[in-house]
Each structure stands twice: as structure tokens, then as C-alpha cells.
């Protein structure tokens, strides 16, 4: 794996001519070797150019890191989690969760509203947005989270997750919104858990150790 965790908030990436890296602009902390950086517009498909981000709202300023050497990445003191995708299923997350990833990985934007009005309302109510990003292929990804992220394994089971704590998932996972809003929630005496994401299927769900909005 070309990515390794230096500590809970810093990732080291090994860059080579065969293995360039895409990273969030402003995330470079330091580097060694013959390294160059260039801006990449939006979020899309590899170093060759990002597609459709301006329409989706999933656009984050990114930079391509090329050459030969090592680069340290971190962003605003947020915690980082390194995943190694094997190509069998995409990583699904919001674009602003992406700290860095192998440039060979492909990204695409998914419109959550395609499932109808309920899905569109779900995105608006949870703060997760109407769009999300799918990261496809084989390679390493570094994700950002508040307080660190931990995995929940799904094996044909269903789990409930606070929408603000959800980081992303890998595998054949279905995501739905469960709303339990009663009179006590309206007047401010409820549990504070009126909305939950319900995730079912087979795969891994990543949850951050905080309900802080990202």
C-alpha cells in the first residue's frame, strides 16, 4: 500500500511516476524527493480530469502530486483513516471526506435523488447532501473524520447510524433514512435521535466517533 498512517491525523504517501496521487488542495504538510504539484479542477475520473462536479455540488479543489518521493498529508487537524480498495466494490462517501487517493482510482458522482422524492428529502434532512461520490478501482484512499472512524461489518444484517456520524461504506450496502419524529421531538424533549440512517446488506460501514457536522 503506497499510503501509511504516520499518526491519527497524518498520512504518508509514496509517489512515483507509476503511482501519482490526488489530494485535497491545501492538505500537503511536507515532502521529500523530486515532487511536483499541479491543480486539478473538481472531482472526477483520475488525473485526466474531473467530470460533472460543478453540477453536483461535490466539487472540492484537488491537486495532483507527481514525481518520485514521499508526501505527508493532513487537513485541519482532522483524523484520517486509510482504506485499501480491492476493486470488488466502490467506496461510497461525500467528496469532502476524501483527503487523498491513488490517481488510478476513478470517481463518479451519484445523485441520491434518483430514487424519488424520499431520497431527495433524506439528503436534505440529514445534511448528507443530494449527491455522493463513488470511488472505483484498486488502490488506497485516505478519509477524513472527526474523532477517527471505526468499521461496522455487515453480513446480511442491518445497523442504524446517526447521519452526522456516517463516513462512508464499501460493499453491497443499501442506505435508507428512518425518521421517528414525535411530539416530544417537536417540542425539544425527544432523544435527539429522530433521524437515523439504516444500512443493510454485506460490506463495511465506517462511522466517525462524533456527531459533529462535517
Amino acid at each position: 500500500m503506497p499510503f501509511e498512517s504516520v499518526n491519527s491525523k497524518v498520512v504518508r504517501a509514496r509517489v512515483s511516476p507509476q503511482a501519482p496521487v490526488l489530494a485535497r488542495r491545501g492538505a500537503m504538510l511536507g515532502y521529500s524527493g523530486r515532487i511536483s504539484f499541479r491543480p486539478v479542477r473538481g472531482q472526477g475520473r483520475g488525473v485526466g480530469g474531473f467530470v460533472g462536479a460543478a453540477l453536483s455540488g461535490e466539487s472540492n479543489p484537488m491537486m495532483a502530486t507527481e514525481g518520485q518521493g514521499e508526501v505527508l498529508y493532513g487537513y485541519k487537524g482532522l483524523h484520517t483513516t486509510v482504506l485499501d480498495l480491492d476493486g470488488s466494490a466502490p467506496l461510497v462517501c461525500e467528496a469532502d471526506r476524501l483527503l487523498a487517493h491513488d490517481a488510478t482510482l476513478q470517481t463518479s458522482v451519484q445523485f441520491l435523488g434518483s430514487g424519488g422524492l424520499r431520497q431527495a428529502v433524506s439528503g436534505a434532512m440529514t445534511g448528507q447532501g443530494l449527491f455522493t461520490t463513488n470511488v472505483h478501482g484498486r488502490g488506497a484512499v485516505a478519509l477524513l473524520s472527526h474523532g477517527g472512524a471505526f468499521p461496522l461489518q455487515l453480513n446480511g444484517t442491518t445497523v442504524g447510524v446517526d447521519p452526522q456520524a456516517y463516513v462512508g461504506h464499501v460493499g453491497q450496502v443499501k442506505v435508507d433514512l428512518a425518521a421517528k419524529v414525535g411530539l416530544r421531538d417537536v417540542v425539544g424533549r425527544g432523544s435527539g435521535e429522530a433521524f437515523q440512517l439504516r444500512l443493510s446488506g454485506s460490506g463495511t460501514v465506517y462511522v466517525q466517533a462524533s456527531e459533529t457536522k462535517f
Side-chain angles (χ1 to χ4, degrees):
M1 183 187 296
F3 289 10
E4 64 173 317
S5 296
V6 176
N7 59 31
S8 62
K9 299 180 181 180
V10 179
V11 170
R12 177 185 289 110
R14 296 181 178 89
V15 180
S16 71
Q18 297 76 34
V21 171
L22 288 177
R24 192 181 184 120
R25 221 176 290 176
M28 192 276 290
L29 303 177
Y31 69 92
S32 61
R34 302 172 67 88
I35 297 293
S36 64
F37 304 92
R38 63 179 177 87
V40 178
R41 290 186 178 181
Q43 173 107 16
R45 307 190 177 193
V47 172
F50 284 0
V51 179
L55 295 177
S56 73
E58 280 286 276
S59 177
N60 275 319
M62 302 288 284
M63 61 181 177
T65 306
E66 299 164 319
Q68 185 80 46
E70 296 185 345
V71 183
L72 298 175
Y73 294 113
Y75 191 71
K76 294 186 176 180
L78 294 168
H79 285 73
T80 62
T81 301
V82 175
L83 307 182
D84 189 19
L85 303 182
D86 61 10
S88 62
L91 163 69
V92 179
C93 66
E94 286 195 72
D96 60 3
R97 294 281 184 182
L98 294 174
L99 172 65
H101 61 82
D102 288 340
T104 54
L105 291 171
Q106 304 292 305
T107 61
S108 61
V109 175
Q110 176 184 352
F111 179 49
L112 294 183
S114 61
L117 180 62
R118 183 181 182 187
Q119 287 289 349
V121 171
S122 297
M125 293 298 293
T126 64
Q128 295 299 110
L130 300 183
F131 297 84
T132 192
T133 296
N134 292 353
V135 184
H136 310 262
R138 183 186 298 270
V141 182
L143 295 178
L144 295 168
S145 66
H146 287 286
F150 58 93
L152 295 176
Q153 300 296 329
L154 297 183
N155 296 296
T157 54
T158 299
V159 298
V161 175
D162 184 282
Q164 306 304 339
Y166 169 79
V167 173
H169 68 263
V170 178
Q172 304 304 314
V173 177
K174 179 183 177 182
V175 183
D176 201 0
L177 180 73
K180 296 181 180 179
V181 182
L183 179 61
R184 291 177 64 85
D185 296 291
V186 174
V187 299
R189 295 183 179 179
S191 66
E193 307 295 339
F195 294 95
Q196 296 178 9
L197 292 180
R198 305 287 291 177
L199 301 106
S200 58
S202 298
T204 305
V205 179
Y206 294 90
V207 181
Q208 69 178 19
S210 169
E211 294 181 357
T212 303
K213 244 184 166 181
F214 204 77

